[in-house]
Every structure is written in C-alpha cells, then in structure tokens.
Amino acid sequence: MAYENIIYETEGNIGIIRFNRPKALNAINSDVVRDVQKALDEVEADSSLRVLILTGEGGKAFVAGADISLMVNLTPLQLREFSSSLHELGFRMEGLSIPIIACVNGFALGGGTEIAMACDFIYASEDAKFGQPEINLGIIPGAGGTQRLPRLVGKGMAKELCMTGAIISAREAKEIGLVNKVFPADKLWEETLKTANVLASKGRFSLMAVKRCIDRGFNLDLRAACGLETDQFALCMASPDGREGMSAFLEKRKPDFKGGLS
Ligand code: DAK
C-alpha cells in the first residue's frame, strides 16, 4: 500500500516505517498518525515479520514534534482527538507483538521524543537531538512525555527536561538512559539493522513475552509483575519456539525458530 506521509517497506523479516515529511522535519499531523496506524495493520497481518524499525526520511529529523501549524488551528475538541490519537498510537506500538527499534537520525523533539520512547529501545546518530520543548510554546508534552520520560530517566531528570525545554545531544540522552546506543551518522542504519537481525533470529513468541513482561510488569507491584513473568515463562516453555530452542541446545545445533503458535 502507498502512503503519503510515511514510507513503509520490508527487508526480509524486518518491517521499516520512515516518517516522510522532510520539508516540515517530519512533524506529525493527523494524516501521519493515520498512515502509521495503517502500516501497523500491515505489520500485524504479516506473520513473517520479526522486528519493526521506525526512522525519519530527509537526513535532518526523526520527527521534530507534533505539527505546530496544525495544532494552532485546532479547536479544543479537535485537539483532544489529536491528543488521544497520539496516545493510542503509543499504546498500540507498545502492544505490538514484535519489537520496535527507534532509529533516530536527527531531531526527535516533543512528539518525536515521545514516539521514540514508545518504541522498545532507541539507537541514535551522534548528531541526533532529543527534548521536550513544549514548555517554550506555553504547553506541556501531550503524547506521553510526562509519563514515559520519568519511567526511563527518573523523575528529576524528566522534570528538568520538561521544565527547561532543553534540547540535548544523543550523548547526553545516552548518559541519562533515554538512548541505548549512539553511532556515527553513517553507521547508524547498518548498526540498527545488525541488531534488528539479531532480534529477528530469536523466537517470535519469546520476544513478545519479554516485551509484555517488561512493559506491563513495570507498572505493577513486584509480586504481581513476577506473576506475569511466571505466566509468560510457562507459555514460552510450551511454545513451539521454546521446545525448538531447548531441543536445539540438547542436540548441539542452532535453533530454527519458526514463530508459530502450535
Ligand atoms: N511543526 C511544524 N513545522 C515544523 C516543526 C513542527 N514541530 N518543526 C519544524 N518545522 C518546519 C519549520 O517551520 C520549517 O518550515 P518552513 O519555514 O521551511 O516552511 C521547516 O520545518 C524547517 O525547520 P527550521 O527552518 O526551523 O529548521 P532549523 O534547522 O532552523 O531548526 C528545529 C530545526 C527542529 C530546531 C526547529 O525547526 C524547531 O524548533 N522546531 C520545532 C520543534 C518543537 O518545538 N517541537 C515540539 C513541537 S510541540 C498533543 C500531543 C502531542 C503534542 C501536542 C499535543 N495532544 C495529544 C494534544 C506534541 C507537541 C509537540 O511536539
């Protein structure tokens, strides 16, 4: 399917969504959200996919935030709808059955940092920039920034970033735990693909179980979270990939994970 505001493609068993409004530094409007949701439908329908990568076209930005020229003209009710569509997108990304890597190759500001945080982890180029500059516009983060950021970097750092609106480098973002790894710009894509291929070689069901346990368990008390882990662990043990992984170990061969459910 062709999209106006994103590019969706697959490379083997890796899905790739590229934000594609380079003239506006890939700022997000309702059409972008709609396109990403449709691409996620395609991802979900394709059981051969093991990993999804989100990145930006144009070489300058991942996503420079929500589209300010759109927001300024929205009525309060339309803003509420836009806000809820962004929140739903974040929840859908977290609930996706395969891992998502944010490959941040430039500005990831406001809604851009928020979308990257809804991915499972973030790789960035040395020239990438992160921040929640909404305070400079007289507003606050509206797509999960005040909630996901403290969960990733702690309350104090999240408050400092949201209150000052500071834009930080990829290195600083890595130091505070927002970004997993930083690479020279010309190596970012290659390194992201390398990790995507590592994930793609694992069992589809166990990847999903890790994602569920960490995302859902993080907001539960420890006992409930460990209960969740127990259930997911048992399901993995009973899954075809679980049986294949253990058989392969005992037979001293590489596992061949098929990702099936029965
Ligand atoms: N929206 C619309 N257009 C944008 C944009 C944005 N966020 N960011 C950049 N652009 C456009 C610029 O207007 C410019 O367009 P032309 O003038 O060429 O037509 C083009 O992209 C290139 O930008 P610059 O000329 O400014 O490029 P520079 O290299 O000089 O500066 C910059 C790059 C990223 C530092 C600068 O563009 C900038 O500060 N951009 C705004 C960054 C920002 O404030 N981002 C946060 C936006 S607020 C909500 C949910 C979420 C949100 C809100 C509500 N609800 C659920 C209700 C999220 C809010 C945000 O993200």
Side-chain angles (χ1 to χ4, degrees):
M1 177 169 182
Y3 296 95
E4 266 180 46
N5 303 285
I6 62 164
I7 298 167
Y8 172 64
E9 59 198 5
T10 57
E11 232 181 273
N13 47 12
I14 299 171
I16 302 160
I17 293 177
R18 299 174 192 277
F19 295 100
N20 189 28
R21 296 184 72 217
K23 283 189 187 147
L25 301 187
N26 299 329
I28 309 171
N29 57 26
S30 318
D31 296 333
V32 176
V33 176
R34 204 170 309 125
D35 280 0
V36 176
Q37 287 281 17
K38 281 192 190 145
L40 292 178
D41 290 342
E42 287 201 55
V43 170
E44 275 172 344
D46 185 347
S47 60
S48 72
L49 294 182
R50 299 289 175 92
V51 190
L52 178 65
I53 300 174
L54 253 58
T55 192
E57 273 294 286
K60 201 171 161 190
F62 174 73
V63 167
D67 191 321
I68 300 169
S69 62
L70 163 89
M71 283 195 301
V72 80
N73 290 315
L74 294 182
T75 64
L77 282 179
Q78 288 169 327
L79 262 174
R80 193 173 186 285
E81 198 179 313
F82 182 50
S83 162
S84 110
S85 76
L86 279 167
H87 278 294
E88 285 314 316
L89 179 61
F91 288 130
R92 182 157 186 213
M93 287 162 59
E94 283 174 348
L96 199 76
S97 56
I98 58 173
I100 311 179
I101 306 175
C103 174
V104 176
N105 51 342
F107 290 107
L109 302 179
T113 286
E114 289 168 312
I115 287 199
M117 289 191 293
C119 295
D120 291 286
F121 54 85
I122 304 173
Y123 279 6
S125 63
E126 278 167 350
D127 54 5
K129 302 258 187 279
F130 294 82
Q132 299 284 174
E134 291 88 345
I135 198 93
N136 299 328
L137 302 169
I139 58 175
I140 66 166
T146 63
Q147 302 309 309
R148 289 195 180 90
L149 193 57
R151 284 165 168 79
L152 277 170
V153 305
K155 282 204 300 183
M157 188 55 76
K159 284 180 187 169
E160 185 178 331
L161 287 173
C162 292
M163 288 175 177
T164 62
I167 292 178
I168 60 171
S169 68
R171 294 259 167 236
E172 291 171 274
K174 181 171 182 299
E175 265 169 38
I176 63 174
L178 175 59
V179 161
N180 277 19
K181 288 185 182 165
V182 179
F183 300 101
D186 62 348
K187 291 272 177 282
L188 173 67
W189 183 246
E190 179 187 328
E191 293 292 338
T192 305
L193 270 186
K194 217 186 269 178
T195 298
N197 277 304
V198 170
L199 299 189
S201 72
K202 310 296 181 196
R204 187 179 161 97
F205 193 84
S206 44
L207 284 172
M208 181 173 74
V210 170
K211 180 165 171 151
R212 296 245 155 100
C213 285
I214 294 179
D215 280 339
R216 291 185 190 168
F218 202 80
N219 299 320
L220 298 175
D221 69 84
L222 187 60
R223 184 166 287 277
C226 288
L228 173 71
E229 187 186 76
T230 301
D231 290 345
Q232 293 291 320
F233 177 80
L235 285 171
C236 285
M237 287 290 281
S239 73
D241 283 346
R243 291 195 298 273
E244 164 62 12
M246 281 176 283
S247 302
F249 176 80
L250 295 173
E251 292 160 15
K252 300 191 186 304
R253 60 175 174 81
K254 271 184 91 172
D256 177 17
F257 294 123
K258 302 260 195 258
L261 292 177
S262 60

